[in-house]
Amino acid sequence: IPASDEYATTNRKGKKDKNNNTDAAEGNSRRVLIVGAGLSGAVIAERIVNVCQGFRVTIVEQRDHIAGNCFDYVDHETAVRVPVNIKTVNAVFNLTIETETEMKAWLKKHQITPPSGKATNSEETAKSRVGERLYELLFKDYTKKQWDKYPAELKPSVLERIPVRSNADGRYFHDTHQALPSRGYTRIFKRMLDTPAITVKLNTEFFTSRKRGTLGAHDYLFFTGPIDRYFESSGLPALEYRSLEFHREVFNTTNGFYQPAAAVNYGTAKIPYTRSIEYAHLPNQEYEHTKLKPLKTVVYHETSTDKGDPYYPVPNERNTALYKKYQDMANAEEGIVFVGRLASYKYFDMDDAVRNALDTFEKWVLSNDLSDEC
Ligand code: UDP
């Protein structure tokens, strides 16, 4: 700018006159049309009106902005923290909340009490916790992508899972003790199952193997698959499940990471993924003991689908009522125990699933008079 000003000053034919329009108004000006508001058009326009006297310039530009391919702007897209805490609210609403008391007051002011006093669906749950704006931003479209249903179509329990914090704690769960297995999950299973008294037959489908009589004779049966699949021949409609698709990508990295956190959730409908997980952020990475930063990082983008392996039971009125019918049939089935996320049609967390299996085992011991053996 200084160089150009200087140029303008030394080369002017006359005094810099910011009121060229005055000339125009007086009818003395010559008119120039410039096509294109890119670098060339803008420079020529600037020169003409600042160096020459008595000129007016019109620029026509087919795009909706000036600056051609130099067009730049500040993109206010930001990542905010979930679960909602002080940092989330400060970032979204440009506030400077510092204390829990202030945060509690903010929440109280924005939380929307459900019409009936108690939330009857997940939209009411979310709004009663974080208010309208954060509901729209973080939960509405994410939930549509994940469940193919809006929160209003799901029971309160789905969004009751998400904590809201009045401090700056960004952890997902409330549990006092939170950890990941130091050598991974599969190893835990390996150690539970690695004994001669247990045989694992992989690639063996229960229903076809049973039909073919290739499973041998057993005294008891525990079924942890989808309950509606077990009672397929009953003629009842199928229960809904959501599945996940994982899209693996490898990125080059200089600082070791692709994204700012282990999980980045996409609350917008514009991005097809629900979230992306970067495992390098999780503890117990192999390279942690070296001073080297990895040059590549693995990221899995997740999308949700109703095809493929069932992951999530879908808790709405229809499915809950239908599940009750399956449950009645399960209760009437002698010698079979239905257990787990798919057989109980419950959105268990991992610790709940383990607890539930332990309780089921205890009950089974008692109801089968096996206390002497077990
Ligand atoms: N959810 C959301 N936005 C988020 C995180 C979660 O709307 O950023 C909603 C969504 O409906 C999701 C549910 O809360 O399915 C439970 O989230 P969670 O992360 O516990 O799901 P999971 O890890 O079991 O897939």
Side-chain angles (χ1 to χ4, degrees):
I1 288 166
S4 138
D5 267 357
E6 198 181 316
Y7 185 78
T9 323
T10 51
N11 289 276
R12 296 185 73 77
K13 282 191 187 146
K15 199 171 137 275
K16 183 169 178 175
D17 178 10
K18 288 208 169 122
N19 301 323
N20 281 339
N21 287 344
T22 319
D23 284 348
E26 287 163 4
N28 298 331
S29 64
R30 277 174 282 179
R31 294 163 173 258
V32 178
L33 177 65
I34 298 178
V35 179
L39 270 179
S40 307
V43 168
I44 295 195
E46 188 276 343
R47 285 296 78 189
I48 289 175
V49 298
N50 281 325
V51 177
C52 316
Q53 275 193 337
F55 281 81
R56 292 185 68 195
V57 175
T58 300
I59 303 178
V60 291
E61 165 58 56
Q62 67 168 6
R63 298 192 197 173
D64 66 357
H65 58 77
I66 59 167
N69 294 337
C70 295
F71 179 59
D72 60 4
Y73 54 91
V74 177
D75 188 332
H76 289 285
E77 186 84 38
T78 46
V80 297
R81 286 158 209 268
V82 173
V84 170
N85 66 16
I86 289 183
K87 292 177 184 171
T88 320
V89 168
N90 282 346
V92 173
F93 298 94
N94 202 13
L95 297 174
T96 51
I97 294 175
E98 278 173 14
T99 65
E100 283 212 64
T101 320
E102 286 174 90
M103 178 63 178
K104 281 183 182 155
W106 187 93
L107 284 170
K108 207 164 167 214
K109 194 171 150 208
H110 291 84
Q111 287 164 339
I112 300 166
T113 312
S116 69
K118 198 166 170 280
T120 55
N121 60 52
S122 268
E123 178 178 331
E124 290 180 1
T125 304
K127 288 185 179 174
S128 72
R129 289 170 169 221
V130 299
E132 178 82 35
R133 173 91 180 98
L134 291 175
Y135 162 73
E136 296 279 335
L137 196 64
L138 305 174
F139 299 115
K140 190 178 167 189
D141 290 339
Y142 184 102
T143 297
K144 176 72 168 79
K145 288 190 288 185
Q146 170 66 23
W147 301 94
D148 197 23
K149 289 182 177 24
Y150 283 106
E153 303 167 83
L154 291 165
K155 294 198 145 191
S157 58
V158 176
L159 286 179
E160 272 167 8
R161 291 172 59 84
I162 311 294
V164 179
R165 305 203 196 274
S166 48
N167 53 22
D169 184 356
R171 291 177 307 161
Y172 213 82
F173 297 98
H174 290 290
D175 309 62
T176 316
H177 302 289
Q178 301 185 23
L180 285 172
S182 60
R183 284 187 267 180
Y185 285 104
T186 306
R187 196 185 139 90
I188 297 179
F189 287 77
K190 226 174 168 179
R191 296 194 63 193
M192 284 195 282
L193 304 179
D194 189 12
T195 154
I198 298 177
T199 307
V200 180
K201 295 182 174 178
L202 298 176
N203 305 310
T204 307
E205 221 270 336
F206 168 70
F207 297 105
T208 38
S209 305
R210 183 170 66 169
K211 220 189 232 160
R212 289 196 198 122
T214 49
L215 284 184
H218 298 94
D219 300 311
Y220 307 96
L221 173 61
F222 290 82
F223 183 78
T224 76
I227 191 163
D228 54 342
R229 185 75 214 284
Y230 188 91
F231 293 109
E232 210 166 30
S233 58
S234 70
L236 280 180
L239 289 162
E240 276 178 283
Y241 298 89
R242 296 298 287 174
S243 187
L244 295 178
E245 276 174 10
F246 297 96
H247 312 263
R248 180 178 182 270
E249 278 197 80
V250 181
F251 294 98
N252 292 331
T253 167
T254 45
N255 70 352
F257 296 117
Y258 162 74
Q259 62 187 35
V264 170
N265 293 358
Y266 303 104
T268 165
K270 284 186 224 146
I271 295 172
Y273 306 119
T274 47
R275 60 186 172 194
S276 49
I277 308 291
E278 184 175 23
Y279 295 92
H281 283 284
L282 303 179
N284 310 323
Q285 300 293 322
E286 277 178 9
Y287 60 83
E288 262 173 17
H289 311 293
T290 72
K291 286 208 172 85
L292 298 171
K293 287 212 162 78
L295 294 174
K296 293 200 181 284
T297 183
V298 177
V299 174
Y300 275 78
H301 295 295
E302 292 180 19
T303 45
S304 170
T305 151
D306 59 3
K307 297 184 186 62
D309 288 346
Y311 282 64
Y312 301 86
V314 182
N316 64 3
E317 299 292 341
R318 179 245 181 211
N319 291 325
T320 312
L322 186 55
Y323 167 67
K324 288 229 169 69
K325 293 187 186 166
Y326 281 112
Q327 200 181 18
D328 288 344
M329 289 196 281
N331 291 339
E333 201 84 347
E334 288 280 312
I336 303 182
V337 180
F338 292 86
V339 54
R341 211 186 226 208
L342 302 175
S344 326
Y345 204 64
K346 274 210 188 81
Y347 191 178
F348 285 132
D349 282 341
M350 285 190 287
D351 54 344
D352 293 333
V354 173
R355 175 78 267 160
N356 181 253
L358 290 173
D359 292 346
T360 305
F361 164 73
E362 304 267 327
K363 255 198 249 159
W364 173 75
V365 170
L366 291 178
S367 62
N368 287 279
D369 274 333
L370 292 168
S371 301
D372 288 344
E373 289 93 332
C374 304

